[in-house]
Structures are given as C-alpha cells and as structure tokens.
Amino acid sequence: MDTRKVKLVIGAICVSALCACASATPQTDSRFGHAVNQAKMQQTLDPDAGSKARSVDGLGGTPARESIERYHDTFKAPPPTFEVIFGTGTSGGGR
C-alpha cells in the first residue's frame, strides 16, 4: 500500500474520532447538573443558616460531657456475653 494512502486513511480516522467527541446536544450540556442543584436547594431548610448567629439548642455542658464519657467507657471493656442454649427436640422430620 502506498504511504500516501496510509496517511490519508490515518488522517480520516483521526478526523472522524475528533468529530465523535464533539457535543451534539449543546442545550442539554449547558444545563448539566441543574436538576441536581435544584433538588438540593429544595431540600435545604434554611439556605442562609450559616450567616445567622443563633444559640445552640440541646444539652448543657455538664450532661453532654457525662454522656460522652459514658460513650467512651463502652469501648474500654467488651460487652458481657451470654450462652445461648438451643432446644434438643426436633421439629418435622429431624434426623
């Protein structure tokens, strides 16, 4: 095969590959992610919550500290185990 024909075939393949990468839906691509962002905004209770200074509702300092200490104490020792006893009878065609 002639080198000129090989170069022409390779060039045609490259041009067709580049055309395949071009977007055929510019209107859709310009709004890509719009539905997700709109859904997130609709699920946000107060979009301006970070700019408002409010008091924090919940536990006071001492009860919160004690509950955290109790939580940390649960990791110091494993929970107690117990033995499970299964019945020895059979039900419906046992061996």
Side-chain angles (χ1 to χ4, degrees), residues 4-51:
R4 186 170 184 248
K5 288 181 182 179
V6 171
K7 289 180 183 180
L8 186 62
V9 169
I10 291 174
I13 290 172
C14 290
V15 168
S16 63
L18 288 175
C19 289
C21 294
S23 175
T25 58
Q27 291 83 15
T28 304
D29 292 344
S30 67
R31 298 186 56 197
F32 186 77
H34 179 72
V36 173
N37 292 331
Q38 183 180 6
K40 286 193 302 187
M41 289 302 295
Q42 289 173 346
Q43 295 174 15
T44 303
L45 183 63
D46 186 7
D48 299 325
S51 62

Side-chain angles (χ1 to χ4, degrees), residues 84-90:
V84 177
I85 301 173
F86 292 104
T88 56
T90 60

Side-chain angles (χ1 to χ4, degrees), residues 63-87:
R65 180 177 40 85
E66 290 176 0
S67 64
I68 293 294
E69 287 174 1
R70 280 193 306 257
Y71 172 74
H72 287 168
D73 289 343
T74 61
F75 294 102
K76 291 180 181 175
T81 59
F82 54 92
E83 187 175 332
V84 177
I85 301 173
F86 292 104

